[in-house]
Amino acid sequence: MGTQVKAQRDKEFQIRGGFGFSLYDTDFTLDDGSTKTENDDGALSIQLPLEFRYELSERWNVGLDMKFGSYLYEPDSAEGRSNRFFVFGIAGEYTIVNKDNFRWYTGFGIHTASLVLEETSDDAIIERKEEWTYRGGGIRLNTGVLIYLGDVVGLNFNLGLDTHNFTLEEYEQNGAKQNLSNIDAKLKLAGLDGTIGLVLRIPRKSKS
């Protein structure tokens, strides 16, 4: 008779990937030295998350998180505009429920991210391209479940509270960097994110 598959095996390494989404409240402030403007809004993003986890003990995992994605524009304001972001962080997880082929976990992570916004406009004389680069840190609290379909592959579902605190670090017009010494622009995001994906399990071979 074969042995049952444990939800968490001795010194297991996991690779998780899939599809993600985020829904944020946003707070933007701009101070150019003479005036200060503020704008509160919302944002929706889609992303491809990639996570790596290694088991320290039966209850604790640690690892790396990455996300690649973009924020969505309203259809009537999307022309000539694009954006992309990249997130990199470290995370730890604690197993709340550990059963055969099932795991319920909670996690905490810290990360750094970059966000690039691009706008292109045409007039009768010349095309103008502008690019803003924001960078900053944040934190994430999440909970999720892993449902294993066998020894190797499983399903991963999680929801989390995610934050980003961006500061404008570069601004370019037609490829030429502009002076930001008198400009202070900040973008704060806080909201809910989720992931639906797969997990690949790679156990460490036990010594005989």
Side-chain angles (χ1 to χ4, degrees), residues 22 24 65 67 87-92 107-113 136-142 159-166 188-193:
S22 300
Y24 295 108
D65 289 347
K67 290 194 295 187
V87 181
F88 179 82
I90 58 175
F108 172 79
I110 58 175
H111 52 248
T112 183
I139 62 173
R140 184 171 184 263
L141 297 169
N142 70 302
L159 288 172
L161 297 175
D162 191 37
T163 70
H164 296 277
N165 296 295
F166 289 113
K188 296 182 179 180
L189 298 92
L192 177 71
D193 78 347

Side-chain angles (χ1 to χ4, degrees), residues 82-171:
S82 65
N83 71 84
R84 60 187 183 275
F85 66 79
F86 172 69
V87 181
F88 179 82
I90 58 175
E93 289 177 357
Y94 176 75
T95 300
I96 302 171
V97 175
N98 189 7
K99 295 185 177 181
D100 293 336
N101 299 324
F102 176 84
R103 179 175 170 235
W104 175 28
Y105 62 89
T106 184
F108 172 79
I110 58 175
H111 52 248
T112 183
S114 64
L115 168 64
V116 179
L117 308 175
E118 294 182 352
E119 289 191 14
T120 302
S121 58
D122 295 312
D123 56 33
I125 302 175
I126 192 172
E127 179 184 81
R128 179 175 179 177
K129 181 178 180 180
E130 297 177 278
E131 183 175 289
W132 297 264
T133 300
Y134 290 82
R135 297 186 180 92
I139 62 173
R140 184 171 184 263
L141 297 169
N142 70 302
T143 186
V145 297
L146 297 168
I147 302 171
Y148 297 114
L149 306 177
D151 290 348
V152 178
V153 177
L155 302 175
N156 179 36
F157 306 92
N158 75 65
L159 288 172
L161 297 175
D162 191 37
T163 70
H164 296 277
N165 296 295
F166 289 113
T167 299
L168 179 63
E169 295 193 356
E170 294 181 12
Y171 171 50

Side-chain angles (χ1 to χ4, degrees), residues 7-56:
Q8 195 72 359
R9 298 179 294 189
D10 184 40
K11 302 305 179 186
E12 179 175 275
F13 179 72
Q14 295 182 355
I15 303 174
R16 306 173 188 170
F19 171 80
F21 69 91
S22 300
L23 182 63
Y24 295 108
D25 286 325
T26 66
D27 181 11
F28 176 73
T29 60
L30 173 64
D31 187 346
D32 63 7
S34 59
T35 59
K36 183 176 182 179
T37 59
E38 297 185 12
N39 182 39
D40 296 330
D41 205 341
L44 173 65
S45 72
I46 56 175
Q47 57 255 356
L48 298 176
L50 182 62
E51 302 173 354
F52 302 91
R53 292 291 184 271
Y54 181 71
E55 181 190 54
L56 296 177

